[in-house]
Amino acid sequence: MEEILVFAILLYEELVTKDEYNKRLDELFLDHPENDDLLYLEWETDTNKAITYISTHIDYNTFDYEQFGKILMNKLKVCYKNCSDIKCFAGQMYGLWERLPKIIQDREPFFALCYADDPLSWGDEQQTRRIYEDIFSYFED
């Protein structure tokens, strides 16, 4: 569920395409055809409903925050490198943070996504970039 939650949130923020989300969901379902959650998601076409379903059906006692974080940060790193407008990217990161389940929002490095763009308000793009780069490297070995 960790990986499909990443893809659903990224889809909602338009950081991956519907095709990318569906392809990964299909792969996960083919690997685990007995998984009722993945079966439900195969039929759910509303991204918001998919995120809500995933968020409410995850067992946060067994949720692998490190796996979730590694997958998310690897995807965000690619988006960051491909984005030419840091302000646009920052807006997407705040939106992404808002989409995270509440239990994840307050954990580091995820919490930093809600304030990483603050230095932009006084023109300090370099500090914002440093914050994002620290966030992205949080789960690296």
Side-chain angles (χ1 to χ4, degrees), residues 21-141:
Y21 168 81
N22 285 329
K23 181 177 186 259
R24 190 61 191 135
L25 177 58
D26 292 346
E27 291 168 350
L28 290 169
F29 181 68
L30 289 174
D31 288 344
H32 307 281
E34 73 290 346
N35 187 309
D36 291 336
D37 294 324
L38 294 174
L39 177 62
Y40 172 86
L41 293 169
E42 282 283 332
W43 290 98
E44 182 55 69
T45 57
D46 183 311
T47 307
N48 214 13
K49 286 181 182 178
I51 292 171
T52 300
Y53 180 87
I54 296 165
S55 298
T56 58
H57 286 80
I58 287 175
D59 178 359
Y60 289 101
N61 293 317
T62 60
F63 187 79
D64 188 338
Y65 293 94
E66 188 164 331
Q67 179 192 15
F68 173 82
K70 283 180 180 180
I71 296 166
L72 179 62
M73 296 313 155
N74 284 334
K75 291 296 208 179
L76 292 181
K77 239 188 279 190
V78 172
C79 296
Y80 174 75
K81 288 179 182 177
N82 294 329
C83 185
S84 60
D85 183 351
I86 189 71
K87 289 180 182 177
C88 178
F89 181 80
Q92 288 177 305
M93 292 305 97
Y94 184 80
L96 184 145
W97 175 79
E98 287 183 310
R99 284 276 150 223
L100 293 173
K102 300 288 184 217
I103 196 164
I104 297 173
Q105 280 182 338
D106 294 334
R107 289 177 170 246
E108 287 299 337
F110 313 109
F111 182 67
L113 292 169
C114 82
Y115 65 78
D117 64 337
D118 286 355
L120 291 176
S121 65
W122 59 83
D124 194 346
E125 182 179 320
Q126 288 303 86
Q127 186 175 0
T128 291
R129 289 187 178 281
R130 274 193 303 278
I131 294 169
Y132 282 127
E133 289 163 11
D134 287 344
I135 293 168
F136 302 149
S137 66
Y138 188 89
F139 292 102
E140 291 177 359
D141 298 327

